[in-house]
Amino acid sequence: MKILFLDQSGKPGGAELCLIDIAQPYRDRALVGLFADGDFRKLLEQNQIPVEVLTSQSIAVRKQSNLLQAFTSLGQILPLIAKVVETAYQYDLIYANTQKALVVGAMASLITRRPLVYHLHDILSLEHFSKTNLRVAVNLANLCASLVIANSQASQTAFVQAGGKPDITRVVYNGFNSKNYQTSNDDIQKLRQRLGLENKFVVGHFSRLAPWKGQHILIDALAQLPPQVTAILVGDALFGEQNYVKQLHQQIAELGLEKRVIFLGFRTDIPQLMAACNLVTHTSTAPEPFGRVIVEAMLCGTPVVAAKAGGAMELVEHGVNGFLVTPGEPQALAQVINTCIQEIEMTEKIAGQAKNIARQRFDVANVNQQIAQLLSNVYQTK
Ligand code: UDP
Ligand code: GLC
């Protein structure tokens, strides 16, 4: 089966990193078509996955932006659809990995009669998207997609609540290769040294800088914690959230935390950095559709505290393989962090359990098998 994967982003967000694992088994007969150029293309190339940027003009890819506004000029969308149609004739199936890819993929599917699969990485609710976005995404998926792969029960439920057809949806979690999360103690000690983190209790936050990812909640919590607690913020403002970055720096200055918060920008050594942390926090203030960073922390053996909403609740069982806190409440977060500082044995035990469970539950080989089965059903019944 030859697959044309489509993704609107040139930047490597979670949906894009997930797509690398999904496209991998098909790389000798697949193409990933992007609507913008960037580091994601380079990552695909490093993984020997064929990739082509299908448009010369990059399309506005802010996640929350209006789908229609994103394609305001017909001069922009028509050549893209024409290019995707021409390309799709050489493939058996179109796999749309983002919402704007769904719009273009749906048109191409109608014209070329190639079946369409939509990988839903978002919670389609008003907390995350405009009414128009929701309507366009749900209606196009209902009309054109043979299959909607939701990245969690939470994403599936929101899709159905927004009017999506339940019978075309299946939940498949992101898969991970646990070998990629093995690190050497020696490297970790050196990394801590280089970052000036020796003798600190290091709390890591590994998300792009965006208001709903809630880095500000961790900073507020930090102000309530003992001085040896230091936070590293790993990630960049991938979709233009520069105002939020400014606000974070302001908040840090007002609280006098300049020496206790380190911005590391976008990094590619996530396993090493996570292993160098005493704790990883996930602080999204709106429900997280899945939350790759939560599973990654587990695979690194680092205890994780996650905001109790959306897909995170499917990944973490409080007190068993991590901790859950009410979203948007710095005090509750500070309390859990304090418990982890004090109850080292209990916290280590939970992190060990989390590692074992995550290795099995999110094994990339199993996940790829599930996807292969689903895609072959779609292909055979087209
Ligand atoms: N990530 C990364 N470098 C960074 C920050 C994050 O490679 O500097 C990765 C992180 O390891 C995770 C992904 O980006 O795999 C973010 O995915 P997640 O599902 O947590 O959130 P999203 O940004 O997709 O909403
Ligand atoms: C999206 C979601 C994130 C999820 C990722 C991979 O970017 O925001 O929660 O983990 O896709 O499915």
Side-chain angles (χ1 to χ4, degrees), residues 198-215:
E198 290 158 306
N199 311 317
K200 307 272 187 219
F201 186 92
V202 184
V203 178
H205 197 293
F206 293 78
S207 295
R208 55 201 162 82
L209 303 176
W212 77 274
K213 289 293 188 180
Q215 281 85 355

Side-chain angles (χ1 to χ4, degrees), residues 91-272:
Y91 292 85
D92 302 312
L93 186 142
I94 302 172
Y95 192 110
N97 197 51
T98 56
Q99 285 191 32
K100 285 154 204 157
L102 169 67
V103 176
V104 175
M107 300 303 142
S109 164
L110 285 173
I111 298 168
T112 62
R113 320 293 305 161
R114 299 300 189 264
L116 175 73
V117 171
Y118 175 36
H119 198 142
L120 173 63
H121 291 280
D122 298 308
I123 289 191
L124 294 178
S125 71
L126 292 173
E127 261 171 302
H128 285 279
F129 298 100
S130 70
K131 233 185 201 169
T132 322
N133 267 29
L134 294 191
R135 227 179 275 140
V136 172
V138 169
N139 288 338
L140 280 180
N142 280 349
L143 266 173
C144 304
S146 308
L147 169 70
V148 175
I149 297 178
N151 65 353
S152 65
Q153 305 274 356
S155 296
Q156 182 192 42
T157 303
F159 175 73
V160 173
Q161 272 171 3
K165 287 191 206 157
D167 53 317
I168 56 167
T169 69
R170 297 287 180 277
V171 174
V172 181
Y173 290 139
N174 281 212
F176 298 82
N177 184 345
S178 58
K179 285 200 190 114
N180 295 342
Y181 297 88
Q182 285 167 5
T183 50
S184 93
N185 269 340
D186 206 31
D187 288 350
I188 301 314
Q189 289 322 316
K190 281 185 195 143
L191 183 59
R192 279 181 74 107
Q193 222 171 32
R194 264 206 311 279
L195 296 173
L197 298 173
E198 290 158 306
N199 311 317
K200 307 272 187 219
F201 186 92
V202 184
V203 178
H205 197 293
F206 293 78
S207 295
R208 55 201 162 82
L209 303 176
W212 77 274
K213 289 293 188 180
Q215 281 85 355
H216 59 285
I217 303 294
L218 173 58
I219 294 167
D220 272 343
L222 197 63
Q224 303 174 33
L225 287 161
Q228 84 270 23
V229 184
T230 295
I232 58 170
L233 303 184
V234 184
D236 217 342
L238 287 189
F239 302 105
E241 298 91 344
Q242 291 311 327
N243 276 345
Y244 183 60
V245 179
K246 252 192 225 153
Q247 277 170 32
L248 289 178
H249 284 286
Q250 236 164 27
Q251 182 191 7
I252 291 165
E254 276 161 21
L255 294 168
L257 295 173
E258 291 93 336
K259 294 210 171 109
R260 292 173 59 197
V261 184
I262 307 174
F263 285 82
L264 292 178
F266 187 86
R267 301 275 296 219
T268 51
D269 54 348
I270 297 300
Q272 289 71 20

Side-chain angles (χ1 to χ4, degrees), residues 337-380:
I337 297 176
N338 251 327
T339 308
C340 292
I341 297 172
Q342 280 153 23
E343 312 240 359
I344 297 172
E345 237 172 76
M346 179 267 295
T347 309
E348 271 176 9
K349 188 173 152 218
I350 286 178
Q353 279 166 187
K355 190 171 183 171
N356 290 336
I357 299 170
R359 277 184 175 174
Q360 289 172 17
R361 202 169 165 217
F362 305 102
D363 176 59
V364 72
N366 286 344
V367 168
N368 280 345
Q369 223 165 14
Q370 285 176 53
I371 291 186
Q373 186 62 54
L374 289 169
L375 297 186
S376 103
N377 291 348
V378 167
Y379 184 53
Q380 276 156 21

Side-chain angles (χ1 to χ4, degrees), residues 29 42 86 267 287 361:
R29 58 215 135 102
K42 292 182 197 151
E86 183 198 329
R267 301 275 296 219
R361 202 169 165 217

Side-chain angles (χ1 to χ4, degrees), residues 11-69:
K11 298 186 180 166
E16 287 68 37
L17 295 173
C18 172
L19 184 62
I20 294 178
D21 288 321
I22 292 172
Q24 195 87 40
Y26 300 95
R27 65 183 176 187
D28 56 345
R29 58 215 135 102
L31 176 71
V32 179
L34 303 181
F35 301 173
D37 199 2
D39 288 343
F40 179 37
R41 174 184 52 77
K42 292 182 197 151
L43 276 178
L44 287 160
E45 283 168 357
Q46 278 161 24
N47 283 275
Q48 280 102 44
I49 298 169
V51 55
E52 194 181 328
V53 180
L54 300 173
T55 169
S56 50
Q57 293 162 293
S58 134
I59 288 174
V61 289
R62 273 173 206 235
K63 272 199 142 192
Q64 272 75 0
S65 74
N66 189 309
L67 273 175
L68 297 178
Q69 268 167 12

